[in-house]
Amino acid sequence: ASTDIVSAERYINKAISLSSNDEYWRARTTLYTNEFTKLAQTENPDKTRLQGLFTQAEQSAQSAISRNRRSATNWLILSQVYQLISTGEENNEALKNAKTAGEEALKRNPVNPAYFLNNAKIAFIGKDTSLAFEQIEKAISLKTDYLDAYIFRGQIKQNQGNTQGLKEELLTY
């Protein structure tokens, strides 16, 4: 682990020891998910380290939820942690967990377009593109200038073979 990560982890853990609120636990989750993503993108990543980072992220997100179950953001963060290891395979436990946490976030804040976009990403991972498009439309209906939703819709179109999909979405935006 780099010195920056070790320092950040030390400061976040110190903050948690002083006040164990959900915001600090979310910060800790983000630290581990960012480190997981960075490591996963390297050639021949250390699988044991990846598993450890995932476990730390999962436990931190669950700790945030245990401190504030009403927070939609806490549920969103947990959903994103499970998306790190989700696959489109049938009966993928991580994908089911990501979906459940995403639905919990949406229940707590049904007017936030980010939660619909999150669920669109989960649907796409699960190879349900029609649901993904439906969730993107809901996000855009709540925020017509939601660039991330347009970009993701374009990426799905490209994935389906429409090589101009992303360009079309950006021109629509």
Side-chain angles (χ1 to χ4, degrees):
S2 74
T3 355
D4 292 344
I5 298 302
V6 171
S7 295
E9 185 177 32
R10 186 173 50 247
Y11 288 123
I12 291 170
N13 288 339
K14 177 72 172 171
I16 288 170
S17 73
L18 296 172
S19 174
S20 184
N21 69 48
D22 60 321
E23 291 178 27
Y24 295 142
W25 285 102
R26 282 197 312 266
R28 190 171 192 259
T29 303
T30 301
L31 177 72
Y32 294 130
T33 57
N34 289 345
E35 194 63 14
F36 179 98
T37 302
K38 196 166 37 171
L39 180 60
Q41 293 171 347
T42 63
E43 196 173 320
N44 303 318
D46 178 344
K47 304 275 190 227
T48 304
R49 175 100 174 105
L50 279 174
Q51 181 60 50
L53 289 167
F54 172 79
T55 300
Q56 289 175 307
E58 179 186 36
Q59 289 171 349
S60 296
Q62 289 171 339
S63 290
I65 289 169
S66 73
R67 273 129 188 102
N68 185 355
R69 294 191 66 75
R70 294 181 316 235
S71 168
T73 305
N74 290 346
W75 288 99
L76 175 67
I77 294 286
L78 182 61
S79 176
Q80 292 169 339
V81 167
Y82 286 122
Q83 287 175 57
L84 292 172
I85 62 167
S86 293
T87 67
E89 298 166 16
E90 254 185 86
N91 301 319
N92 180 268
E93 197 64 32
L95 186 62
K96 288 179 186 175
N97 291 338
K99 185 177 181 180
T100 300
E103 289 168 354
E104 289 294 327
L106 197 54
K107 270 195 262 182
R108 286 161 175 76
N109 190 347
V111 294
N112 187 325
Y115 301 137
F116 286 102
L117 183 58
N118 179 67
N119 288 349
K121 291 176 181 179
I122 295 165
F124 182 71
I125 293 168
K127 301 177 182 167
D128 188 345
T129 52
S130 62
L131 179 58
F133 281 128
E134 178 185 310
Q135 294 294 301
I136 290 169
E137 291 307 316
K138 288 179 181 178
I140 291 172
S141 74
L142 292 169
K143 186 176 183 346
T144 57
D145 64 345
Y146 193 16
L147 182 59
D148 290 350
Y150 287 99
I151 289 172
F152 189 58
R153 186 166 63 184
Q155 290 170 328
I156 294 172
K157 287 179 179 180
Q158 277 191 309
N159 186 269
Q160 292 178 321
N162 179 348
T163 57
Q164 297 299 305
L166 185 55
K167 182 179 177 182
E168 291 168 0
E169 289 299 325
L170 292 177
L171 291 174
T172 302
Y173 175 77

